[in-house]
Amino acid sequence: MKRIRRFTLLGVLTLLMSVGFAGTASAHGYVGDPASRAYLCSTGDVQDCGAIQYEPQSVEGPGHFPAEGPTDGDLCSGGNEGFAELDESRDGAWPATSVDSGQDVTFDWHMLARHATTDYRYYITEPGWDTSEPLTRADLDLEPFLEVDGHGKQPPSHVEHTATLPDRSGRHLVYAVWEIDDTANAFYQCIDVDFDGDGNDDGDGDNGDGDDGDGDDGDGDDGDGDDPACEASEWDADDVYTEGDVVSYDGYEWRAEWWTTDEPSDGQWGPWTRLDACSG
């Protein structure tokens, strides 16, 4: 009986450890600027988002788009039923970043788990796409306007790609794909943009002019002295932070992903997600 109980206890501990590791492995990556739908849900700028508001980094699905990948109508959610809110058209009312044809725009990925990478690809909707319907392959120009080789290597915690936007007018959607090298999966982000319009931009969208004054020094959001004032309270080493808490520290705002007293940093498995640059 003692031996049976010992094996039972071992099984319980193994299960608990596997659950813990599964939770950690759920962290991957998202595009914070220009603001993706997943990111806007996580900041609360868009409401009624369901589970994606807690994990904008987890829009993972079958890779090798467009030959394979998520099914049409489920592209923005990566085929994840739990993230179906991302596929909703919302009658074209998703906040969009204002852009112009021929403009250079930098796409900023926040990597919470730095998977070895095959490549990154950026697609955009065709002229005349129907904003009232979920995204399909037929809506997209399936020739990427930007493709970046990942060389099978692990990326840094922040990845930036600058692209010249194609000629468009009105509202459009950029479909960003992060292809993983050591699995058959990819991560997907839908980014609403508005050409020659006000964009109804409730996201950060702070690189819309492609010229932040940062000298393109690799991180794209510091050193220009024009960052907005920090709204969150300064991080305090004596405080305990829980999931969703936002603080300002070292020129950025940070969001806690779970209970922590750690100093905010970009560690691969760390409890903090770096958000936007800020001053003050």
Side-chain angles (χ1 to χ4, degrees), residues 3 14 21 36 56 61 77 79 87 92 141 162 169 175 178 181 184 195 205 222 238 247 251 274:
R3 185 178 184 184
T14 301
F21 285 129
S36 67
S77 65
D87 294 312
D141 180 352
T162 299
S169 63
Y175 193 54
W178 172 25
D181 194 68
F195 287 78
D222 62 0
D238 295 327
V247 300
R274 185 168 67 163

Side-chain angles (χ1 to χ4, degrees), residues 1 15 19 30 41 56 83 124 128 130 140 147 201 231 266:
M1 288 299 292
L15 176 61
V19 170
Y30 63 90
C41 285
F83 302 152
I124 194 167
D130 188 351
L140 292 165
E147 188 167 359
D201 186 0
E231 296 183 2
D266 278 326

Side-chain angles (χ1 to χ4, degrees), residues 183-248:
T183 75
N185 288 351
F187 292 87
Y188 299 94
Q189 295 279 283
C190 279
I191 304 159
D192 293 273
V193 293
D194 190 1
F195 287 78
D196 308 313
D198 61 14
N200 187 28
D201 186 0
D202 293 328
D204 49 14
D206 57 5
N207 67 357
D209 61 2
D211 183 7
D212 296 13
D214 60 359
D216 195 23
D217 59 4
D219 59 13
D221 51 14
D222 62 0
D224 57 9
D226 295 326
D227 295 322
C230 298
E231 296 183 2
S233 300
E234 185 74 14
W235 174 76
D236 189 330
D238 295 327
D239 284 348
V240 173
Y241 298 96
T242 58
E243 180 180 347
D245 287 341
V246 177
V247 300
S248 60

Side-chain angles (χ1 to χ4, degrees), residues 28-111:
H28 305 289
Y30 63 90
V31 175
D33 188 16
S36 67
R37 291 183 176 183
Y39 177 68
L40 288 168
C41 285
S42 74
T43 61
D45 287 302
V46 176
Q47 300 294 314
D48 302 321
C49 286
I52 194 62
Q53 65 185 302
Y54 305 114
E55 44 182 329
Q57 70 276 5
S58 297
V59 187
E60 181 179 14
H64 308 294
F65 182 86
E68 301 176 42
T71 58
D72 286 346
D74 299 325
L75 299 185
C76 289
S77 65
N80 290 278
E81 184 177 349
F83 302 152
E85 289 82 359
L86 296 176
D87 294 312
E88 297 173 356
S89 68
R90 302 196 179 214
D91 296 323
W94 283 94
T97 298
S98 295
V99 296
D100 291 304
S101 297
Q103 174 184 328
D104 286 344
V105 171
T106 299
F107 296 88
D108 181 11
W109 286 86
H110 298 244
M111 304 306 197

